[in-house]
Amino acid sequence: MDVRNNRRDMTGASVITANRLLDGRIVWLAPQGWSEAISQARVFDNAAVEDAIRQARAADANTVVGIYGVQLDPDATHITPLTVRERIRAFGPSVHPDFAPVETSHVH
Amino acid sequence: MSTDTATLPVGRYAYDQVDRTFLSQRVAQFREQVGRRVAGDLSEDEFKPLRLMNGLYLQLHAYMLRVAVPYGMMGADQMRELAHIARTYDRDYGHFTTRQNIQFNWIRLEDTPDILERLAGVNMHAIQTSGNCIRNVTCDEFAGAAADELLDPRIHAEILRQWSTLHPEFSFLPRKFKIAISGSPHDRVAARFHDIGLVAHPGPDGRPVFDVFVGGGLGRTPIIGVHLRDNLPEEDLLAYLEAVVRVYNAYGRRDNMYKARIKILVQALGVEQFREKVDAEFAQMNRADYRLEPAIVEGIRARFGIPDLDAPADAARKLEADRKADARFDRWVRTNTHTHRHEGFISAVVSIKPDGGIPGDVTADQMDLIADLADEFSFGEIRVTHMQNVVLGHVRKDRLRDLWRRLEGAGLGTPNIGLVGDIIACPGLDYCALANARSIPIAQKLSARFANPELQENIGTLRINISGCINACGHHHAGHIGILGVDKRGEEFFQLTLGGSAENDVAIGQIIGPALPEDETVDAIARLIDTYLVLRNEGEAFIDTYRRLGAASFKDAVYAPA
Ligand code: HEM
Ligand code: SF4
């Protein structure tokens, strides 16, 4: 996998992401399963995230693809990735605000 | 099977039953593979190469489907099917690329077999739009229409398509392989930036011959293709290309993906040694097996529909009068048309670069409109260009103003072809999983900033190309001004190159200094253009002034703002 996808600091926090197999949409690992909204994502301390990624890969290889961790911006008030790339994944293409992921309240 | 010329689609090759059966078998096969993946019988590692063989990528937000438009030619019926796919399976739009393909960015894996089935229904597919094989052969967007054309390159492009499609020996090359073919002395296909570039013209006896360039390419290591030979006779076209690709297949590097393209091999061997190897292979081949007899070529040509070019005697005079009567129309004719070989006709370029818009994006409704306009004004024939625009090849001059009015009404009448607004941009970080930075917003800001058509015309010919990473899908090295997105600790920066060109005056742009932050890039380019306006001599385009003065005069403008 692309190194950029794994670029994380030793300290700080991360969330875990993937693409859903059936429709390719971006999902975030939430306390119960995968959510389309990053706001629902479970936040891991970077010391614990590698284990969580391994577990998710073992459990969900047939429902999601490309599981990896995303470093969060420590200064942001909401859950916000540190890099432009991951912010675009989380909040939609910057050139089509109408395509932003819809906040869904349920987690599936 | 007899060919009834009256029913042949104009400008493109008519599939026969064998082609159609093959496509439907491929769709059934992929449907089964998707089923096995969803059932968990195939792992992602096993499935990925299978989906890529059908043009299905996993991109930043969703699956992306890349559909081939062979040598950029399609019919109104095919465009309508693309509109239907955009509307039904995507978010109401598609994206034309620099390789004369169309990409859909929001595709669901589940829907893909149905989409491929619909495409097959109009003789289209996504085969060989990915992977280490010979990709879609690209061609001059004015093929068969341009006044300066010596030979219609589509016939040979179709022959190459048939030769390369599922070629058993060339399905697993060291890396992807791209061929472009031009039939005009004016290179409109970037022939010298392709793995193989062919320039066709009539030989001494009037039969087609080809000048062959090899080992050009952009990407990480931009290289201008070397001249391999002149006057390759038509009958040896397939044998000789087979020899070139064989040498590449045998000697190309497979240990390092970044050194696997034929350009690296040609540079490593040197052109003399590369040519010797090709000649040796060519000499020992059984050339009779590959011989392109005139009858075979004519058989292919016979499956292309020909437009009935019949215009009223005063068509050209009517256009002159229309231009005099309407200054805006006159401007559009100046920028967005190309001279046709028939005096009563003209080729019209539909700009897919509205001011502030996303280069190459078309909505489903616009696709339907383009299809209708093609039916009404250009024999149902449509071309997509490597500049991410659309061409209606044969428009009667006396009807051009009607066409323009209809385009204008749909936001498709921007008069900017070849000017600063006609920017090539790859999808960049907004969509592409490999990107370092966004390309589209820079293009949007630049085209909005230079929206004034008088200013654009005053600035004159200027090619701005933007890529979101080193892969160079947006041809930044070939731009007069090239913009390359780079990543610095997760933030977007842009490196400027100057002086590139993909035409006869082919050149690779030179980096002028350190990369700029996103919020300074557009201003820096505006200063660059202002500087050119001050420094230029009468009649010079940007590239001329740059070549006369060199980078230094422009560096100050970029890095030392007043
Ligand atoms: C969004 C998905 C895309 C991916 C993953 C992708 C990937 C790549 C890669 C990896 C290369 C470098 C190949 C090499 O040098 O070996 C490349 C080159 C290229 N791609 Fe793309 N690309 C994408 C989209 C596009 C689009 C949208 C266009 C047209 C606008 C395009 C046209 C090209 C061209 C012209 C090159 C340069 C090839 C050369 O001369 O070396 N690609 N692409
Ligand atoms: S140049 Fe890079 S960012 Fe742009 S489409 Fe190609 S791979 Fe993606």
Side-chain angles (χ1 to χ4, degrees):
Chain A
M1 183 180 295
D2 194 318
V3 283
R4 272 174 301 136
N5 290 343
N6 291 312
R7 185 163 60 199
R8 275 192 308 286
D9 301 337
M10 297 300 286
T11 57
S14 295
V15 292
I16 295 175
T17 187
N19 288 78
R20 203 155 50 198
L21 172 68
L22 283 182
D23 59 7
R25 290 302 138 75
I26 293 163
V27 285
W28 308 88
L29 188 62
Q32 290 96 33
W34 297 89
S35 168
E36 284 173 49
I38 192 171
S39 60
Q40 310 266 0
R42 182 171 161 197
V43 177
F44 294 87
D45 191 276
N46 275 1
V49 73
E50 291 300 336
D51 263 350
I53 292 170
R54 251 190 304 278
Q55 276 178 31
R57 283 192 186 140
D60 296 332
N62 281 326
T63 51
V64 297
V65 291
I67 300 171
Y68 65 94
V70 171
Q71 177 89 26
L72 295 177
D73 181 351
D75 301 327
T77 40
H78 300 284
I79 300 182
T80 304
L82 191 61
T83 63
V84 178
R85 170 194 164 88
E86 294 302 331
R87 288 200 293 273
I88 288 172
R89 284 184 78 250
F91 306 122
S94 66
V95 295
H96 264 300
D98 47 324
F99 294 167
V102 187
E103 283 269 348
T104 45
S105 52
H106 71 288
V107 175
H108 48 93
Chain B
M1 193 165 129
S2 72
T3 39
D4 175 3
T5 46
T7 62
L8 288 174
V10 164
R12 65 200 160 96
Y13 179 77
Y15 271 33
D16 62 18
Q17 197 50 45
V18 178
D19 299 305
R20 283 191 285 269
T21 305
F22 164 70
L23 278 194
S24 63
Q25 284 168 350
R26 266 296 281 254
V27 174
Q29 183 190 46
F30 188 58
R31 192 180 290 285
E32 194 239 16
Q33 290 163 344
V34 171
R36 282 161 63 205
R37 174 69 184 113
V38 172
D41 298 338
L42 289 176
S43 71
E44 186 60 19
D45 285 348
E46 290 163 330
F47 179 65
K48 187 176 169 187
L50 303 176
R51 70 165 154 75
L52 287 175
M53 278 179 202
N54 290 282
L56 192 65
Y57 289 69
L58 188 51
Q59 280 298 346
L60 214 51
H61 304 281
Y63 291 97
M64 180 273 278
L65 181 68
R66 182 182 288 159
V67 177
V69 181
Y71 31 96
M73 303 292 305
M74 71 179 135
D77 56 326
Q78 294 176 319
M79 185 67 111
R80 281 192 194 96
E81 192 57 55
L82 296 175
H84 174 85
I85 289 167
R87 202 171 276 129
T88 315
Y89 302 103
D90 201 279
R91 295 186 165 180
D92 240 13
Y93 81 101
H95 181 80
F96 288 118
T97 81
T98 51
R99 300 224 65 259
Q100 297 181 320
N101 293 317
I102 184 167
Q103 296 186 172
F104 293 104
N105 280 316
W106 300 92
I107 294 298
R108 298 152 61 96
L109 173 63
E110 294 177 285
D111 293 333
T112 308
D114 291 344
I115 297 171
L116 294 178
E117 191 166 309
R118 296 215 56 124
L119 287 171
V122 292
N123 302 336
M124 292 183 97
H125 59 78
I127 297 166
Q128 289 187 202
T129 61
S130 172
N132 296 335
C133 51
I134 299 177
R135 303 283 187 92
N136 192 28
V137 175
T138 54
C139 165
D140 184 356
E141 61 258 32
F142 300 119
D148 65 353
E149 181 170 280
L150 301 173
L151 253 174
D152 185 345
R154 292 172 299 184
I155 313 305
H156 298 92
E158 171 59 26
I159 290 169
L160 295 180
R161 185 187 72 83
Q162 295 189 12
W163 162 74
S164 62
T165 301
L166 303 193
H167 192 304
E169 201 179 315
F170 302 148
S171 295
F172 297 96
L173 294 169
R175 199 73 180 85
K176 58 165 124 174
F177 203 88
K178 299 175 181 176
I179 303 176
I181 176 165
S182 164
S184 152
H186 182 155
D187 183 353
R188 285 183 288 261
V189 301
R192 291 154 188 85
F193 281 131
H194 279 76
D195 296 290
I196 295 179
L198 296 169
V199 180
H201 55 92
D205 58 357
R207 304 278 319 146
V209 296
F210 301 86
D211 299 343
V212 184
F213 297 87
V214 71
L218 301 168
R220 184 175 293 255
T221 316
I223 293 176
I224 295 172
V226 300
H227 178 223
L228 200 57
R229 64 162 294 173
D230 278 334
N231 298 321
L232 173 67
E234 179 183 62
E235 63 169 24
D236 284 334
L237 176 67
L238 293 184
Y240 191 76
L241 292 200
E242 182 111 355
V244 173
V245 186
R246 262 191 200 163
V247 168
Y248 169 55
N249 205 15
Y251 296 96
R253 287 184 64 166
R254 288 186 146 86
D255 60 322
N256 181 341
M257 178 177 133
Y258 301 114
K259 297 192 170 165
R261 298 285 297 266
I262 194 174
K263 61 189 174 187
I264 306 292
L265 177 67
V266 172
Q267 295 298 311
L269 291 176
V271 61
E272 292 310 322
Q273 219 192 323
F274 182 83
R275 188 184 291 124
E276 271 169 34
K277 286 193 190 304
V278 171
D279 288 345
E281 179 61 36
F282 186 59
Q284 69 84 42
M285 286 170 76
N286 185 357
R287 297 237 286 272
D289 289 352
Y290 298 90
R291 187 167 296 135
L292 259 186
E293 301 287 359
I296 297 175
V297 179
E298 289 321 306
I300 302 279
R301 193 188 307 277
R303 295 193 68 82
F304 276 82
I306 297 167
D308 177 12
L309 298 179
D310 184 20
D314 68 346
R317 231 177 321 123
K318 165 85 165 46
L319 173 58
E320 286 316 309
D322 286 345
R323 292 180 69 164
K324 282 209 184 74
D326 186 337
R328 288 178 59 242
F329 173 60
D330 182 51
R331 178 191 306 284
W332 180 82
V333 176
R334 272 201 306 278
T335 52
N336 289 43
T337 61
H338 197 268
T339 317
H340 197 282
R341 62 189 157 87
H342 188 294
E343 61 170 349
F345 285 79
I346 197 161
S347 297
V349 187
V350 181
S351 172
I352 312 294
K353 323 278 182 70
D355 302 328
I358 299 178
D361 270 15
V362 269
T363 64
D365 287 349
Q366 287 177 331
M367 287 187 229
D368 276 336
L369 177 73
I370 291 170
D372 291 347
L373 295 178
D375 274 337
E376 277 179 58
F377 292 94
S378 195
F379 307 92
E381 183 212 83
I382 299 160
R383 300 114 184 275
V384 301
T385 84
H386 79 282
M387 311 282 194
Q388 302 179 289
N389 293 308
V390 165
V391 167
L392 299 179
H394 322 277
V395 182
R396 247 172 58 183
K397 282 184 174 168
D398 54 326
R399 303 187 63 207
L400 189 64
R401 193 170 176 207
D402 292 342
L403 169 65
W404 170 73
R405 283 205 192 99
R406 302 273 295 278
L407 288 170
E408 276 251 301
L412 291 169
T414 317
N416 62 1
I417 298 303
L419 307 179
V420 297
D422 186 12
I423 298 169
I424 294 177
C426 79
L429 193 48
D430 281 302
Y431 293 98
C432 179
L434 302 176
N436 287 323
R438 287 172 294 165
S439 309
I440 296 168
I442 301 280
Q444 289 181 298
K445 285 179 207 164
L446 278 171
S447 76
R449 181 137 174 177
F450 291 99
N452 181 332
E454 274 134 59
L455 175 60
Q456 289 207 44
E457 248 196 317
N458 179 28
I459 293 168
T461 300
L462 179 52
R463 179 75 279 121
I464 300 185
N465 295 354
I466 311 176
S467 304
C469 81
I470 189 169
N471 287 320
C473 304
H475 295 197
H476 63 278
H477 302 107
H480 299 159
I481 298 176
I483 307 171
L484 165 65
V486 292
D487 168 309
K488 290 194 183 173
R489 296 203 52 77
E491 297 300 323
E492 302 164 287
F493 279 73
F494 293 89
Q495 194 162 66
L496 303 188
T497 55
L498 296 181
S501 169
E503 299 184 32
N504 295 51
D505 59 351
V506 63
I508 293 168
Q510 297 300 308
I511 296 171
I512 59 160
L516 302 158
E518 198 265 346
D519 56 356
E520 290 176 23
T521 303
V522 171
D523 285 339
I525 291 166
R527 289 194 301 271
L528 196 72
I529 292 172
D530 285 344
T531 305
Y532 144 71
L533 289 176
V534 171
L535 297 177
R536 74 171 165 190
N537 288 342
E538 176 87 34
E540 273 184 342
F542 175 85
I543 186 78
D544 306 320
T545 308
Y546 171 78
R547 284 182 180 154
R548 180 168 55 81
L549 296 175
S553 332
F554 294 98
K555 243 184 211 164
D556 292 348
V558 170
Y559 295 104

